[in-house]
Amino acid sequence: MNLLGIETSCDETGIAIYNTVKQSIISEQLFSQASKHAEYGGVVPELASRDHLIKIIPLIRHTLEEAELELNDLNAIAYTAGPGLRGPLLIGSSTAKSLAFSLDIPSIGIHHMEAHLLINLLEIPAPKFPFLTLLISGGHCLLINAKDFGSYEIIGQTIDDAVGEAFDKVAKLLELGYPGGPLIEKLAKLGDPSSFKFPRPMTNKDNLDFSFSGLKTAVFYALKDTKVINKQIKANIAASFQDAVADTLLIKSKKALEETNQNELVIGGGVASNKYIRNKLIEGLKGSSIYFPPIERCTDNGAMVAFAGSFYLGNNNQNKNDQVRPKWPLSEL
Ligand code: KG4
Ligand code: ZN
């Protein structure tokens, strides 16, 4: 079977085809609008919708061509139904539903964060349920006790900013541009992570929740209190901030592994593409098995949606998520 996946929840138009016999993604296309939104310092929903509208059909066509398939060779269409920006979600969902209707095949509404989680199961070796999951993206920071497919207990989450949001806001303070994560990671390579003493928020608390807005404020004051701001100072701040985030994620993940008695940690979301954070977690959690998707499948992509769709095939679940849901808790699948 061939499953087409459509991702349009934010500023990436991602299209891919997953083949259930080959158990692999046989073709994929990705268009990032990041440069369009850079001048505004963040995603402008209306501009994002327009770009998805322009790109979605040509990208579907290219994805089919690359796989040497025709529309009629598709057996189902999975699309991101939420959470995300309403306009962009509607472009993806209406394209998926109308194509599926015309081809007389099922359309499957996928939860974006479940797709970020499940894409790890495409790797070899793949983690096996139950496992602990850490999802770190632009909109979320979640610790999840993933008991089984579709059964996710949220055991920790951010009480304010998401971790990727903190990267983006700190990048703005450092006047680096958008999206902030990759730019901070690059600049941090030139800096000393021990030069600024930033807090590890909530790590002395007895729960598994996160908070990143205070860390961002600490960066704000560090900049304000530093008389001369040059590239080296910015690099030191970037490295120290990144180290504080990595430490915080490590401390909370360690605690969550202990509390849930798990030995496997599955990580996903855009921030999981950060090599410094990946290394810190691998080093700090020796003795546990840590799973990451390949770097290019951490940030938003169509492959994760196509693959997630395969779990719902023949599940009688296809029409459950008929509406787009800009706010959709993972616990309400
Ligand atoms: O998963 P994703 O592509 O979209 C959401 O579901 O939100 O994550 C995007 C977020 C952005 O905040 C971006 O700055 C961050 O992931 N990000 C990174 C890196 N690459 C992307 N953060 C830190 N280091 C990176 N290399
Ligand atoms: Zn995402």
Side-chain angles (χ1 to χ4, degrees):
M1 282 208 191
N2 293 310
L3 261 120
L4 182 74
I6 300 180
E7 157 60 34
T8 60
S9 66
C10 192
D11 60 347
E12 253 102 29
T13 319
I15 311 289
I17 297 171
Y18 176 72
N19 182 281
T20 55
V21 177
K22 293 182 181 153
Q23 296 188 358
S24 66
I25 298 293
I26 56 171
S27 73
E28 59 188 309
Q29 295 278 327
L30 185 72
F31 175 76
S32 173
Q33 310 170 353
S35 59
K36 174 155 285 179
H37 300 286
E39 62 177 297
Y40 305 98
V43 179
V44 183
E46 186 53 33
L47 293 182
S49 300
R50 281 187 222 173
D51 248 21
H52 285 304
L53 199 53
I54 293 167
K55 292 288 175 192
I56 195 162
I57 297 295
L59 286 177
I60 291 174
R61 191 175 292 138
H62 288 148
T63 310
L64 284 164
E65 279 167 10
E66 193 186 298
E68 297 181 0
L69 295 178
E70 305 283 335
L71 270 175
N72 279 326
D73 297 318
L74 296 176
N75 303 96
I77 303 181
Y79 63 95
T80 302
L85 300 169
R86 183 179 291 278
L89 286 172
L90 280 168
I91 306 293
S93 72
S94 45
T95 306
K97 284 188 210 171
S98 34
L99 259 182
F101 181 73
S102 69
L103 296 168
D104 197 20
I105 58 176
S107 63
I108 310 166
I110 297 294
H111 191 293
H112 181 81
M113 299 314 289
E114 185 179 33
H116 271 307
L117 182 162
L118 291 175
I119 192 65
N120 278 282
L121 274 63
L122 191 56
E123 295 306 305
I124 299 170
K128 286 196 178 68
F129 288 108
F131 48 70
L132 184 72
T133 303
L134 174 68
L135 293 183
I136 40 180
S137 71
H140 294 84
C141 185
L142 297 169
L143 268 168
I144 300 159
N145 188 3
K147 297 173 185 171
D148 202 347
F149 162 64
S151 174
Y152 311 117
E153 182 195 1
I154 293 169
I155 55 173
Q157 57 191 312
T158 181
I159 59 166
D160 41 55
D161 292 350
V163 61
E165 189 181 353
F167 267 95
D168 294 335
K169 286 178 175 170
V170 165
K172 213 169 189 175
L173 290 173
L174 294 172
E175 297 173 336
L176 297 181
Y178 172 85
L183 297 167
I184 289 190
E185 182 177 9
K186 188 168 173 222
L187 183 61
K189 287 192 183 122
L190 310 173
D192 171 5
S194 61
S195 52
F196 284 82
K197 302 277 169 261
F198 290 134
R200 275 62 176 151
M202 310 263 293
T203 48
N204 56 358
K205 289 267 189 305
D206 211 19
N207 59 38
L208 296 169
D209 288 337
F210 301 89
S211 161
F212 291 103
S213 88
L215 180 54
K216 169 200 66 193
T217 309
V219 171
F220 172 82
Y221 282 110
L223 277 165
K224 199 162 171 266
D225 296 343
T226 307
K227 285 200 181 69
V228 181
I229 311 277
N230 54 29
K231 190 171 177 194
Q232 187 57 52
I233 296 289
K234 284 190 180 183
N236 287 344
I237 291 179
S240 303
F241 162 77
Q242 185 174 255
D243 190 53
V245 172
D247 260 355
T248 306
L249 295 173
L250 171 61
I251 293 166
K252 289 285 180 174
S253 300
K254 205 174 212 164
K255 193 172 161 61
L257 283 166
E258 281 162 15
E259 284 188 14
T260 54
N261 234 347
Q262 305 273 10
N263 199 36
E264 299 202 307
L265 177 65
V266 171
I267 307 179
V271 182
S273 58
N274 183 298
K275 291 204 186 92
Y276 186 86
I277 292 177
R278 287 166 92 106
N279 289 337
K280 191 117 193 182
L281 289 169
I282 291 167
E283 278 294 303
L285 297 171
K286 277 197 180 126
S288 299
S289 307
I290 317 292
Y291 299 87
F292 293 97
I295 301 269
E296 67 282 5
R297 294 212 173 124
C298 289
T299 42
D300 293 349
N301 61 84
M304 67 183 195
V305 179
F307 182 58
S310 70
F311 286 77
Y312 285 99
L313 271 179
N315 213 330
N316 268 345
N317 222 357
Q318 281 93 344
N319 297 318
K320 193 170 145 198
N321 308 313
D322 212 23
Q323 307 292 322
V324 297
R325 294 182 64 180
K327 291 190 192 313
W328 183 8
L330 188 57
S331 49
E332 283 178 25
L333 283 183

